[in-house]
Amino acid sequence: MTAHDAKKWFRVHRRAADPRLRLVCFPHAGGTAQLFHGWPPLLPEDVEVLAVRYPGRQDRLAEACIEDMATLADTIDDALRPWLDRPLALFGHSMGACVAYELALRLEARGIVPEHLLVSAHAAPQWAEHTALHSADDETLITRVRHLGDLHSGAYDIPELRDLLLPALRADYRLIEGYQPPHPAPVKAPITAYVGQDDPSCVLDQVLAWCDLAAPGSFELCSFPGDHFYLVAREAEVVADVAARLARACNADQA
């Protein structure tokens, strides 16, 4: 992958010339890097944010979506190589939680252990849902998205926007519904799982099952009021918690 091709995968928010850590953020199904646009000012200046830009949406609209988890994770792993000169932490929301986890596995296989794996609004991979919404009609798929919470869902009422947004949403559902690892491997990175207290898609025991993929004593659960998109309404609180965890991880490395 060329340097140009690698750069198109990330929206880079830099506030320091020499960051101590990079936080790589992964959006949800149908989502974009825009989900994390408010995070950089809320983080310490020496934390650089790389928001992942999936193909098939926004300024990558003309590119084909990726509908297979292994292909997506392998491609992001390859694209991230120019940014491996600093410690990394990974934050993934919903579908992005599983993408972040798969990237952590790939990094650790090459001897790069993330400072922290932060997974949001998704069950552990071993509890993958056996659904087939990607093959449902448009109205059924849109209804499912609206059931999770009202994050810009009104765009689906505008025919021109619906036509632009639905292909990526359907492709992402095909990807995540096809991701059903029966025996997911543990990671060395500590894991924090975040969940909205009224998220209709998350069964608490299934979210807690992320602890089975973490080393003993390196898992925590953190909940906030709200639905599947709790991190939008509670952005300042969520980012403050993320920042505190990253600071502890860096302090532990220096001890």
Side-chain angles (χ1 to χ4, degrees), residues 43-201:
L43 288 163
E45 290 189 358
D46 57 358
V47 174
E48 185 174 276
V49 176
L50 276 63
V52 176
R53 301 163 65 208
Y54 303 136
R57 63 214 77 193
Q58 290 192 323
D59 47 3
R60 301 188 67 185
L61 187 64
E63 300 178 46
C65 296
I66 295 177
E67 300 180 353
D68 172 74
M69 177 65 80
T71 302
L72 181 61
D74 286 345
T75 307
I76 295 173
D77 180 36
D78 192 25
L80 192 60
R81 290 172 189 260
W83 284 276
L84 297 180
D85 60 329
R86 296 290 186 275
L88 297 174
L90 311 176
F91 182 100
H93 180 65
S94 195
M95 178 189 84
C98 294
V99 184
Y101 161 74
E102 285 291 328
L103 179 63
L105 290 177
R106 285 157 174 76
L107 291 170
E108 292 186 1
R110 292 190 282 114
I112 302 168
V113 179
E115 298 293 311
H116 215 110
L117 173 60
L118 306 132
V119 293
S120 168
H122 203 282
Q126 63 269 34
W127 285 97
E129 279 190 292
H130 295 273
T131 56
L133 283 164
H134 69 272
S135 60
D137 61 82
D138 291 350
E139 291 305 324
T140 299
L141 185 55
I142 292 169
T143 297
R144 163 65 175 181
V145 171
R146 285 181 164 148
H147 177 64
L148 296 176
D150 186 22
L151 181 67
H152 312 310
S153 63
Y156 293 109
D157 295 326
I158 303 170
E160 295 82 359
L161 291 180
R162 175 193 283 231
D163 291 343
L164 291 175
L165 298 173
L166 269 177
L169 179 66
R170 190 176 297 280
D172 288 352
Y173 266 86
R174 183 175 290 111
L175 182 149
I176 198 61
E177 289 178 332
Y179 176 65
Q180 298 177 356
H183 304 292
V187 295
K188 296 176 183 177
I191 299 176
T192 296
Y194 292 89
V195 66
Q197 293 166 4
D198 299 311
D199 186 343
S201 73

Side-chain angles (χ1 to χ4, degrees), residues 18 34-36 65 114 119 159 191 203 211 218 227 231 235:
D18 187 24
Q34 187 71 11
L35 180 68
F36 303 103
C65 296
V119 293
I191 299 176
V203 177
C211 71
S218 62
D227 58 23
L231 75 173
E235 183 175 69

